[in-house]
């Protein structure tokens, strides 16, 4: 078993990056995720593993540093919170267009605008539907514990390189700030330049005599070529759907009603499930772990036995659209949520289920 | 004598550097971009560092630079090249890294990335083509457009009261401790070309020292954007651009005695 530690979610992300063998982190401070860079600066991985850690002048610069580093086949990541992620969207679109691997952590806070620093899930659309310009998607992982904040960094890098695509870890201020015990995975050594050249033959590391020059670009002036490129990206997103959808089912086997929730909301719903079950109401929790690709197939299968779904989100209701599409509107789907940084309580969620489906 | 008697290997005095690809340049005839590319490539070839070099192309007329230069290259979002170069150089400190940017790219949308990469003293080379206009998008006003100079977004000439003043970005950057070498050159005459090549050579030699940014501004024409013939534009550049953007070194390193 790996090392056991009590850590903040944000610290777990930072420690996981070092242990995963990341080559670089480029960031810009914003609450509630500044501990990620602070932890890295304190741990000084540049002295131990050689990982580069740099505070950029802005989120725009940070994501473009990620673009530059990823272009060299390096394992690079950045993190931010909602307003900063909006600034990173230009770079994320370029990463997707140029097919570059990178991990981007969004520790979401309430918005729009400067909003509040309290946790929220209101960036779901931005994360899963593109966010930046153009026809593209990110692979989006939604952790619901500090343990997953740690584990998903490693999975994130694996997926980023498997698909040569940006990966977002969509967390929120509650998971970023809370402390829990974490089992840390054993450190993986950083890849050597030779290993990188072998594994990423496309990387711009200097053109050797034995190959064509490598070019990283997202520019295709011919619209037919651009269309082919977008089709190629689409096929990649389809492959994600077939090969790497992740979800969790809690007490779903005999469930008549379903909470569908991710991240912090899923943790709250878990408690609401217990409350309902204590009163003999058969409720289950379906937790999408990948928000893109959304676990539509599984949810559809499950829905044949279900009388009603409550989408529980810390937003006005964004994931509910994916749920409705998944169940093809054959099951009633309603939303319950608080927004603007307010977190719902398990009791509230349970009450919402009762008033929506059980006649109060 | 027939033309065939003249075109013989032994008569060739000047030929394409092997680092140019076969792709015809997409620049307007008479534009300085092509000559600037050539000087850059000659330096990389003469220093024999091209297989250890990563170049970063901008958004602007030279967006397709990677099509012409036979080296590994990345294409950056508008203005962001210095951010890419920062990461590339930090992750691969022993490689040579350069950015190649126009004035709209480097001195407008990318001002923050430019100033901060320079101020941090990143160890790469920046090549800055200042033609006082946005060429690619059809001749709009740039931060470097001269007072009174016409552009499509200042059709009656740049009125500094309304549109602000031209930005001498190289002078500004030279003030920063992270800039090791800053020079301003041109490529409109053989003599100017030779000086530019020397400056580029210096820039890459200085990059080896890892003492900060080596910055080469090349004041160039945009005959299309300026709506002149190539010859007229070169003359206009001498008469109008050079008085405002005087050629020559702006910051030269005080090399330590060995
Ligand atoms: C974010 C963004 N804004 C605007 C543009 C449009 N655009 C493309 S090139 C350019 C100006 C380039 O001018 P300059 O850097 O001076 O290069 P030149 O074409 O003169 O060589 C602009 C505004 C863009 N591609 N991206
Ligand atoms: S538009 Fe101007 S800068 Fe662009 S290629 Fe033509 S002359 Fe050169």
């Amino acid at each position: 078993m790996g090392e056991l530690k009590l850590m903040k979610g944000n610290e777990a992300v930072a420690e996981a990056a070092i242990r995963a063998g990341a080559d670089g982190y480029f960031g810009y401070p914003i609450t509630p995720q500044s501990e990620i860079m602070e932890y890295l600066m304190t741990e000084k991985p540049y002295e131990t593993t050689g990982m580069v850690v740099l505070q950029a002048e802005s989120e725009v610069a940070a994501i473009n540093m990620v673009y530059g580093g990823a272009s060299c086949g390096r394992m690079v990541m950045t993190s931010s919170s909602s307003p900063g992620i909006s600034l990173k969207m230009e770079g994320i679109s370029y990463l997707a267009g140029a097919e570059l691997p990178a991990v981007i952590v969004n520790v979401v806070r309430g918005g729009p605008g400067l909003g509040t620093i309290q946790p929220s899930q209101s960036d779901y659309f931005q994360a899963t539907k593109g966010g930046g310009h153009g026809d593209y998607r990110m692979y989006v992982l939604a952790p619901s514990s500090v343990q997953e904040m740690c584990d998903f960094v490693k999975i994130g890098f694996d997926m980023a390189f498997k698909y040569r695509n940006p990966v977002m870890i969509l967390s929120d201020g509650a998971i970023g700030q809370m402390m829990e015990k974490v089992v840390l995975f054993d450190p993986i050594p950083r890849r050597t330049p030779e290993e990188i050249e072998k594994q990423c033959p496309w990387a711009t590391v200097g053109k050797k005599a034995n190959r064509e020059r490598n070019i990283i670009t997202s520019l295709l002036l011919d619209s037919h070529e651009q269309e082919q490129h977008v089709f190629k990206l689409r096929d990649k997103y389809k492959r994600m759907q077939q090969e790497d959808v992740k979800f969790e089912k809690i007490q779903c086997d005999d469930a008549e009603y379903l909470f569908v929730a991710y991240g912090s909301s899923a943790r709250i719903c878990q408690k609401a499930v217990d409350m309902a079950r204590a009163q003999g109401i058969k409720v289950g929790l379906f937790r999408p772990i990948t928000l893109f690709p959304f676990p539509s197939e599984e949810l559809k299968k499950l829905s044949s036995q279900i009388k009603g779904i409550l989408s529980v989100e810390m937003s006005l209701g964004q994931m509910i659209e994916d749920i409705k599409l998944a169940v093809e509107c054959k099951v009633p789907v309603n939303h319950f949520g608080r927004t603007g940084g307010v977190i719902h309580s398990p009791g509230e969620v349970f009450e919402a289920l009762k008033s929506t489906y059980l006649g109060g | 004598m027939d033309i065939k008697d003249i075109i013989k290997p032994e008569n060739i005095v000047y030929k394409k550097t092997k680092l140019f690809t076969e792709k015809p340049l997409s620049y307007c005839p008479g534009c300085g971009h092509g000559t600037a590319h050539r000087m850059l490539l000659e330096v990389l070839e003469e220093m024999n560092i091209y297989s250890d070099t990563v170049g970063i192309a901008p958004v602007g007329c030279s967006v397709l630079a990677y099509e012409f230069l036979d080296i590994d290259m990345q294409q950056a979002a508008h203005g962001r090249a210095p951010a890419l170069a920062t990461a590339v150089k930090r992750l691969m400190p022993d490689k040579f890294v350069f950015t190649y940017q126009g004035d709209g790219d480097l001195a407008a949308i990318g001002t923050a990335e430019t100033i901060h990469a320079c101020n941090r003293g990143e160890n790469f080379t920046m090549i800055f083509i200042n033609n006082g206009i946005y060429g690619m998008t059809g001749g709009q006003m740039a931060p470097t457009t001269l007072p009174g100079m016409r552009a499509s977004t200042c059709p009656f000439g740049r009125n500094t009261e309304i549109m602000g003043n031209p930005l001498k970005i190289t002078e500004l950057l030279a003030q920063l401790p992270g800039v090791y070498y800053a020079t301003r050159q041109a490529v409109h005459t053989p003599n100017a070309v030779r000086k530019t090549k020397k400056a580029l050579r210096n820039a890459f030699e200085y990059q080896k020292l890892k003492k900060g940014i080596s910055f080469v501004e090349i004041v160039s024409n945009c005959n299309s954007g300026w709506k002149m013939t190539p010859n007229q534009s070169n003359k206009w550049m001498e008469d109008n651009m050079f008085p405002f953007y005087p050629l020559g070194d702006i910051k030269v390193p005080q090399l330590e005695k060995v």
Side-chain angles (χ1 to χ4, degrees):
Chain A
M1 199 169 98
E3 195 181 335
L4 185 71
K5 264 195 162 173
L6 181 68
M7 294 185 114
K8 262 191 177 190
N10 288 333
E11 294 168 347
V13 165
E15 180 61 34
I18 302 172
R19 286 174 181 249
D23 298 299
Y25 170 91
F26 305 92
Y28 186 82
I30 181 171
T31 309
Q33 62 78 55
S34 296
E35 295 88 353
I36 296 177
M37 192 173 12
E38 287 167 354
Y39 183 93
L40 288 171
M41 289 298 190
T42 311
E43 288 301 306
K44 297 199 254 187
Y46 39 89
E47 287 180 1
T48 49
T49 70
M51 176 184 178
V52 172
V53 187
L54 184 63
Q55 178 167 342
E57 63 271 30
S58 69
E59 288 85 352
V60 178
I63 193 73
N64 281 285
M65 289 173 184
V66 164
Y67 181 103
S71 300
C72 305
R74 264 53 184 183
M75 277 172 70
V76 282
M77 75 181 264
T78 185
S79 65
S80 191
S81 179
S82 311
I85 293 291
S86 291
L87 284 177
K88 287 190 201 287
M89 279 299 159
E90 174 198 55
I92 293 173
S93 164
Y94 273 76
L95 285 164
E99 296 196 79
L100 292 173
V103 172
I104 300 140
V105 183
N106 185 1
V107 184
V108 180
R109 61 192 234 180
L114 197 50
T116 163
I117 57 171
Q118 300 304 325
S120 179
Q121 293 183 319
S122 46
D123 296 357
Y124 180 92
F125 281 149
Q126 190 194 41
T128 60
K129 310 293 177 198
H133 59 285
D135 272 339
Y136 80 90
R137 297 298 170 103
M138 281 184 279
Y139 185 85
V140 184
L141 285 158
S144 72
S145 64
V146 176
Q147 182 68 54
E148 286 184 341
M149 287 287 263
C150 167
D151 297 345
F152 288 6
V153 170
K154 192 168 165 300
I155 296 173
F157 275 122
D158 289 346
M159 290 300 143
F161 276 85
K162 174 172 177 185
Y163 292 107
R164 277 184 66 185
N165 202 66
V167 169
M168 178 168 276
I169 297 178
L170 190 71
S171 174
D172 66 57
I175 306 169
Q177 292 298 326
M178 74 185 176
M179 287 187 101
E180 286 185 322
K181 72 169 195 290
V182 203
V183 181
L184 297 165
F185 58 86
D186 292 335
I188 303 161
R190 283 177 59 222
R191 294 168 306 158
T192 62
E194 293 72 32
E195 286 168 335
I196 291 169
E197 276 189 53
K198 235 176 122 205
Q199 290 168 20
C200 307
W202 46 266
T204 49
V205 293
K207 176 189 179 296
K208 297 290 172 302
N210 59 0
R211 65 158 167 85
E212 286 290 294
R213 69 192 191 284
N214 281 337
I215 296 167
I216 301 293
T217 182
S218 57
L219 174 68
L220 286 159
L221 287 168
D222 181 297
S223 45
H224 290 97
E225 278 180 39
Q226 178 64 36
E227 185 183 47
Q228 288 311 314
H229 180 59
V230 178
F231 284 160
K232 183 183 157 205
L233 298 181
R234 175 201 57 193
D235 294 345
K236 187 160 80 172
Y237 307 142
K238 279 189 185 160
R239 242 180 83 212
M240 291 178 186
Q241 188 82 50
Q242 283 151 8
E243 297 174 22
D244 288 297
V245 174
K246 296 185 200 299
F247 56 87
E248 189 187 11
K249 290 191 286 187
I250 294 168
Q251 304 207 48
C252 285
D253 289 347
D254 64 341
E256 292 174 358
Y257 298 95
L258 220 52
F259 292 125
V260 181
Y262 68 94
S264 293
S265 286
R267 290 283 286 271
I268 295 161
C269 286
Q270 220 169 313
K271 195 92 192 168
V273 167
D274 294 343
M275 293 167 87
R277 289 270 171 183
Q279 294 190 18
I281 304 163
K282 288 181 178 164
V283 185
L285 165 63
F286 183 84
R287 173 167 84 98
I289 292 175
T290 50
L291 302 181
F292 185 89
F294 193 74
S296 308
E297 283 301 313
E298 267 308 310
L299 190 56
K300 189 181 161 191
K301 260 189 254 163
L302 200 57
S303 67
S304 59
Q305 69 186 59
I306 295 295
K307 293 183 192 154
I309 291 176
L310 198 63
S311 174
V312 182
E313 306 172 62
M314 280 145 56
S315 75
L316 290 181
Q318 301 191 9
M319 182 176 65
I320 185 170
E321 296 188 4
D322 284 332
I323 300 171
K324 283 184 176 174
L325 282 173
V327 303
E328 294 167 352
C329 297
K330 287 179 183 148
V331 186
V333 183
N334 282 281
H335 167 261
F336 173 75
R338 304 294 301 267
T339 185
V342 180
I343 308 179
H344 32 248
S345 67
E348 266 183 307
V349 173
F350 180 39
E351 283 308 317
L353 180 83
K354 282 203 287 191
S355 63
T356 312
Y357 292 117
L358 303 167
Chain B
M1 211 201 288
D2 193 52
I3 183 95
K4 286 201 200 78
D5 300 319
I6 298 168
I7 306 176
K8 283 192 210 150
E10 60 267 33
N11 288 342
I12 292 173
V13 288
Y14 203 56
K15 55 180 180 181
K16 176 168 104 49
T17 108
K18 67 170 185 186
L19 293 181
F20 258 128
T21 62
E22 294 303 320
K23 183 128 182 160
L25 295 182
S26 50
Y27 304 112
C28 308
C31 171
H33 270 304
T35 319
H37 280 19
R38 161 138 201 157
M39 291 308 109
L40 164 66
L41 291 180
E42 283 187 5
V43 166
L44 297 183
E45 188 176 352
E46 284 166 23
M47 288 177 73
N48 196 24
I49 57 172
Y50 49 87
S51 59
D52 285 317
T53 298
V54 177
I56 317 231
V59 166
C61 279
S62 41
V63 68
L64 287 170
Y66 55 77
E67 297 264 332
F68 316 126
L69 318 189
D70 192 16
I71 56 173
D72 277 5
M73 287 197 72
Q74 307 179 0
Q75 198 284 314
H78 197 24
R80 318 296 177 216
L84 273 63
T86 295
V88 174
K89 187 73 183 188
R90 289 207 179 217
L91 289 160
M92 304 192 300
D94 296 329
K95 306 276 172 172
F96 289 86
V97 180
F98 70 86
T99 63
Y100 184 103
Q101 302 173 263
D103 42 73
D105 198 75
L106 182 143
I109 194 169
T111 320
E113 286 78 3
T114 299
I115 289 187
H116 287 281
C118 285
N119 197 42
R120 283 192 302 265
E122 301 293 341
N123 296 309
F124 58 83
T125 295
M126 297 180 79
I127 301 164
F128 168 44
I129 308 296
N130 178 6
N131 55 20
I133 208 160
Y134 291 4
M136 183 187 223
T137 41
Q140 294 84 12
M141 186 179 72
T144 49
T145 299
L146 297 175
M149 183 177 168
R150 287 180 198 205
S152 69
T153 49
C154 51
F156 309 107
R158 182 179 192 147
N159 176 342
T160 53
E161 289 199 1
I162 302 170
M163 295 145 186
N165 300 297
L167 179 61
K168 292 189 184 180
I169 185 92
T170 309
E171 275 85 347
L172 195 103
L173 296 173
Q175 303 294 317
L176 305 173
V179 173
Y180 190 61
Y181 171 58
T183 188
R184 183 182 286 124
Q185 304 295 335
V187 287
H188 65 306
T189 63
N191 188 27
V193 167
R194 270 194 292 275
K195 285 188 185 160
T196 296
K197 186 171 167 186
K198 182 84 187 57
L200 287 167
R201 175 78 191 226
N202 286 343
F204 282 92
E205 294 288 353
Y206 291 147
Q207 196 181 137
K208 287 186 196 161
L209 305 176
K210 301 192 173 158
K211 299 231 174 203
I213 293 281
S214 46
F215 192 95
V216 181
E217 172 177 344
I218 300 173
V219 181
S220 186
N221 62 359
C222 173
N223 39 295
S224 296
W226 297 357
K227 307 209 183 310
M228 294 175 197
T229 66
N231 279 341
Q232 279 172 342
S233 69
N234 283 344
K235 174 85 176 63
W236 192 89
M237 180 168 67
E238 284 180 347
D239 293 345
N240 299 277
M241 293 283 277
F242 295 169
F244 195 84
Y245 300 111
L247 304 189
D249 288 338
I250 297 169
K251 187 177 197 176
V252 282
Q254 305 301 309
L255 292 177
E256 288 117 55
K257 303 254 171 359
V258 194

